[in-house]
Amino acid sequence: MSVSEKCILAASNAPVRGISSSTARRLRRNLPALSPATSPPEQVKASIQAWSKLQQKRHPPPMLVEADGIDIVHNPLFNKGTGFPPSERDRLGIRGLVPPCYLSIEAQSERVMTRFDKTRDPFEQFLHLNSLLDRNETLFYRVVMENIKQLAPIIYTPTVGQVCQKWGAQYRRARGMYFTAEDRGEMSAMAWNWPSPDVDVVVVTDGSRILGLGDLGCHGMGIPIGKLTLYVAAGGIHPRRVLPVQLDVGTDNEQLRNDPNYLGLRRPRLRGQEYFDFVDEWINAIHQRYPNALIQFEDFQTSVALPLLNKYREKYLTFNDDVQGTGAVALAGVFSALKAQGLPQSVLPEQRILCVGAGSAGVGVCDSIVQGMSFQGLTEAQAYKRFWMWDQHGLLHQDRTDLTDCMRNFARTDVTKSPTTLVDLVNEVKPTILLGLSGQGGIFTEEIVRAMAKHVERPVIFPMSNPTSKAECTAEQAVHWTDGRAILASGSPFDPVEYKGKTHYTTQGNNLFIFPGLGLGSIVSESRTVSDGMIYSAAARLSELVSDEELAEGKIYPDISTVRSVSKEIAIAVAQTALHEGHAQMDLTYDLRDVVEHSMYQPQYAPLVESLHTR
């Protein structure tokens, strides 16, 4: 039996070997409803034919609603605005409650973008999209999915930083869940307040390190909401199966605590064991409620990000995007940069890598590259010797007493004193790859970049901090200071650079290329963990998806407009690795492509059918 046949049977409530109950529930939302298969071969054949026709016409299965009339119009899950067909207007008591003109979802999407394009300020554009989300979720995700390249910087970085800074003043509608220090002892019960019976992805922050903006307390909620919007648009996770969470343990930002618009607890942050006990209670509560959900940690400060990841990654299905996602994107970029030079991945262990920034992102990126070198044959001890890491106190070396355990892995054992300046270190090491994860805008000075370019024919420079104001250098600076020889990727988007008659493109090393596919692959395979091998396979597959034409233009990542298809390919690679490593709980010996494609949410208006309770 093919995987398509297995999926159809699972969607019909028939028990099928290799399709778990939770996966079957996910398929039932996206496949037409079937009666239980009494004669499987005939039922399957007819169902596949019906499914194929429905796919061609893009008709989603009906949706049962326990509301009618104005309640449907005011519910963003069901509202279609001017997209209600005449039959629904009569059947659901909507006639006269919306304008008589009927517009298809394609026409509505075009109207939204026409209005969007007339607004130039990114924050105002965000408010325009957020207002649509509050009114009509299906249309919102359709607009985002079709215009992901244009809208991703508005929904997430860099605009989301400004959104978080203005969170209290612009707060309009409850979205997601807040768990506070005052809720200790109550979280298991609170988790049941979330209305969705199934959740696939939880994104959680404690607001302690929002992008490069520092401690924003509970106003960091814009991060999980924005991230999950991209999970839906790029990864095909159903919007009803995501949960944004803000852990409010207080804030050490005194200016925020004194701000009359601040919406969180006005107290200093929990610290030490008290903090870790709080997180432990929360994660256990979520796991009890949603045992199969992927829990993604986002924007936790360095002192807690890595301990939390190490504590939970083997126990629950957890992932830290700042550490592992950024690392996978950087590793993919390095692989692509090598390919752009005509070099195979096998020369990765020969690179000399200087990383400026030793926080959770810097350590996570370098650890991912260490894992890449390990897959190429080096021991971890040998791989660590290929790195030089610099922070605000200088070079990490063995005699420093202020290093965490994770930082100590990168401490140089061949020096006892840090060079005086970063440019001195560049001249001494002659790095082939320069990584910026410091959050210090402009730290890659002209002197530093020119010193690197003097020793390397094609310097690989990744200023990965965001938002744009925190970038270690701009694309224009990198191109000009290397005489157009740099291979560049950045954490925030930059416009193409014209230099000596040639257009130099730079691509954003956006985590959006990794986390949706990694999450989707973990969920579809029902993996018990997100392993290093799964992350490595995501990075390697991402690099493979960069075309020769893109490499010739200086791009080392695919075009962001293709991110949905990229996510699908990464999900397949991740699920295959989960199966190979023994983490998958689902039988995936069949065609994974069909399973992944059938699992991905498509934002289409579903026919609405009244529940018997409302008739």
Side-chain angles (χ1 to χ4, degrees):
M1 185 182 296
S2 74
V3 73
S4 295
E5 296 168 339
K6 289 164 70 70
C7 289
I8 293 290
L9 279 181
S12 72
N13 292 307
V16 181
R17 180 180 175 274
I19 302 289
S20 70
S21 58
S22 60
T23 298
R25 286 196 301 272
R26 193 155 49 243
L27 291 168
R28 284 181 207 122
R29 290 193 311 276
N30 295 326
L31 295 176
L34 302 175
S35 59
T38 55
S39 53
E42 293 79 5
Q43 175 79 7
V44 167
K45 185 176 180 180
S47 299
I48 291 174
Q49 291 173 348
W51 166 238
S52 178
K53 291 179 181 178
L54 283 171
Q55 280 291 82
Q56 292 174 7
K57 295 181 179 180
R58 301 183 65 80
H59 286 171
M63 182 184 300
L64 195 68
V65 295
E66 296 187 357
D68 60 6
I70 200 68
D71 291 335
I72 289 179
V73 176
H74 287 168
N75 188 324
L77 296 176
F78 307 133
N79 181 34
K80 303 178 184 179
T82 54
F84 289 104
S87 59
E88 273 188 351
R89 299 185 187 206
D90 290 331
R91 187 172 68 249
L92 300 174
I94 295 172
R95 184 176 289 276
L97 301 181
V98 294
C101 174
Y102 168 78
L103 292 176
S104 67
I105 195 170
E106 293 81 7
Q108 289 179 319
S109 177
E110 185 176 345
R111 283 169 62 93
V112 170
M113 289 307 297
T114 298
R115 168 72 184 278
F116 178 90
D117 290 336
K118 291 179 180 178
T119 307
R120 297 301 179 187
D121 179 68
F123 184 71
E124 291 299 321
Q125 290 175 328
F126 168 84
L127 293 179
H128 173 55
L129 292 174
N130 201 51
S131 175
L132 176 61
L133 177 61
D134 289 342
R135 300 191 311 271
N136 184 334
E137 283 202 4
T138 304
L139 179 57
F140 169 81
Y141 286 112
R142 180 64 168 258
V143 169
V144 173
M145 192 182 78
E146 292 180 342
N147 303 277
I148 188 73
K149 183 174 184 177
Q150 184 178 359
L151 300 187
I154 305 301
I155 293 168
Y156 205 63
T157 57
T159 308
V160 72
Q162 188 179 4
V163 170
C164 290
Q165 289 176 312
K166 298 180 177 181
W167 190 260
Q170 61 93 31
Y171 180 79
R172 299 181 183 185
R173 181 188 178 99
R175 197 174 294 278
M177 290 195 73
Y178 295 81
F179 292 81
T180 79
E182 296 177 355
D183 296 322
R184 284 174 285 184
E186 304 292 337
M187 294 187 208
S188 291
M190 285 177 62
W192 289 86
N193 290 342
W194 190 247
S196 177
D198 294 297
V199 165
D200 285 334
V201 183
V202 179
V203 175
V204 58
T205 186
D206 69 352
S208 58
R209 190 196 64 82
I210 300 300
L211 303 175
L213 303 173
D215 183 353
L216 295 185
C218 89
H219 288 182
M221 180 55 116
I223 296 295
I225 292 173
K227 209 81 171 186
L228 286 168
T229 299
L230 298 177
Y231 258 113
V232 175
I237 307 299
H238 199 286
R240 297 185 197 175
R241 298 177 67 95
V242 300
L243 171 56
V245 172
Q246 172 70 51
L247 301 181
D248 186 356
V249 296
T251 176
D252 292 335
N253 186 331
E254 190 172 350
Q255 182 179 355
L256 261 185
R257 292 204 303 263
N258 294 330
D259 185 343
N261 288 322
Y262 184 59
L263 302 178
L265 297 183
R266 299 175 186 272
R267 52 156 291 166
R269 284 186 170 274
L270 293 181
R271 295 290 180 185
Q273 192 58 45
E274 194 176 15
Y275 172 86
F276 288 103
D277 289 345
F278 171 88
V279 176
D280 202 55
E281 181 184 348
W282 173 79
I283 200 169
N284 278 291
I286 291 297
H287 183 69
Q288 288 171 10
R289 177 77 165 99
Y290 302 114
N292 296 317
L294 169 68
I295 299 174
Q296 178 174 312
F297 293 99
E298 194 73 31
D299 285 2
F300 285 71
Q301 64 185 22
T302 305
S303 61
V304 299
L306 293 172
L308 289 174
L309 177 62
N310 293 332
K311 180 178 181 179
Y312 296 119
R313 67 176 304 191
E314 299 297 333
K315 187 176 181 181
Y316 303 118
L317 184 64
T318 58
F319 168 69
N320 186 306
D321 189 47
D322 302 304
V323 178
Q324 297 162 295
T326 305
V329 169
L331 178 59
V334 169
F335 282 151
S336 296
L338 294 176
K339 187 162 62 172
Q341 299 174 67
L343 301 173
Q345 292 183 5
S346 59
V347 304
L348 177 63
E350 300 173 16
Q351 304 308 301
R352 299 181 301 278
I353 301 172
L354 170 55
C355 179
V356 181
S360 59
V363 171
V365 164
C366 293
D367 269 333
S368 293
I369 301 175
V370 166
Q371 290 298 321
M373 291 180 174
S374 298
F375 278 100
Q376 299 295 336
L378 292 190
T379 65
E380 284 195 352
Q382 291 171 329
Y384 283 126
K385 291 181 181 179
R386 306 304 300 171
F387 290 82
W388 288 259
M389 190 171 285
W390 181 278
D391 68 3
Q392 67 269 33
H393 303 299
L395 178 69
L396 272 60
H397 59 79
Q398 61 183 351
D399 290 343
R400 280 183 51 173
T401 59
D402 60 336
L403 305 183
T404 65
D405 290 340
C406 295
M407 294 166 66
R408 192 163 294 283
N409 291 330
F410 293 96
R412 301 296 302 183
T413 59
D414 52 355
V415 296
T416 58
K417 183 179 179 182
S418 172
T420 304
T421 66
L422 186 55
V423 71
D424 290 337
L425 181 61
V426 170
N427 282 319
E428 180 181 324
V429 172
K430 301 177 177 61
T432 56
I433 299 172
L434 179 62
L435 304 176
L437 294 123
S438 65
Q440 300 298 310
I443 196 172
F444 290 173
T445 64
E446 181 175 358
E447 186 179 12
I448 289 170
V449 174
R450 288 192 181 280
M452 180 186 185
K454 182 172 61 177
H455 302 294
V456 182
E457 177 61 29
R458 296 296 307 276
V460 178
I461 303 175
F462 289 5
M464 300 189 73
S465 293
N466 54 46
T468 309
S469 61
K470 303 293 183 179
E472 284 78 11
C473 69
T474 67
E476 184 176 19
Q477 289 169 336
V479 169
H480 282 257
W481 295 341
T482 62
D483 196 29
R485 293 183 286 119
I487 299 175
L488 185 69
S490 59
S492 293
F494 287 107
D495 292 330
V497 178
E498 297 291 336
Y499 181 72
K500 292 186 176 180
K502 181 180 178 181
T503 301
H504 296 260
Y505 293 91
T506 178
T507 43
Q508 185 181 3
N510 197 324
N511 290 19
L512 178 58
F513 285 122
I514 290 290
F515 69 80
L518 181 62
L520 179 61
S522 301
I523 294 163
V524 167
S525 66
E526 298 187 1
S527 180
R528 298 179 182 87
T529 186
V530 179
S531 69
D532 289 335
M534 292 161 70
I535 295 170
Y536 177 85
S537 68
R541 186 68 182 118
L542 175 57
S543 178
E544 292 169 357
L545 295 171
V546 183
S547 69
D548 291 339
E549 292 76 12
E550 287 170 325
L551 288 174
E553 292 177 340
K555 301 174 182 177
I556 59 173
Y557 296 106
D559 193 272
I560 198 71
S561 63
T562 66
V563 69
R564 192 171 172 94
S565 62
V566 167
S567 296
K568 180 176 67 177
E569 295 299 324
I570 288 176
I572 293 167
V574 166
Q576 287 173 332
T577 303
L579 175 65
H580 176 73
E581 294 182 342
H583 304 306
Q585 300 178 74
M586 178 184 172
D587 181 1
L588 296 174
T589 57
Y590 301 89
D591 185 1
L592 267 176
R593 186 170 299 275
D594 277 1
V595 175
V596 170
E597 287 178 350
H598 290 164
S599 296
M600 295 179 76
Y601 164 75
Q602 296 287 345
Q604 305 168 61
Y605 286 144
L608 301 181
V609 179
E610 278 186 287
S611 166
L612 291 175
H613 300 295
T614 62
R615 293 180 181 177

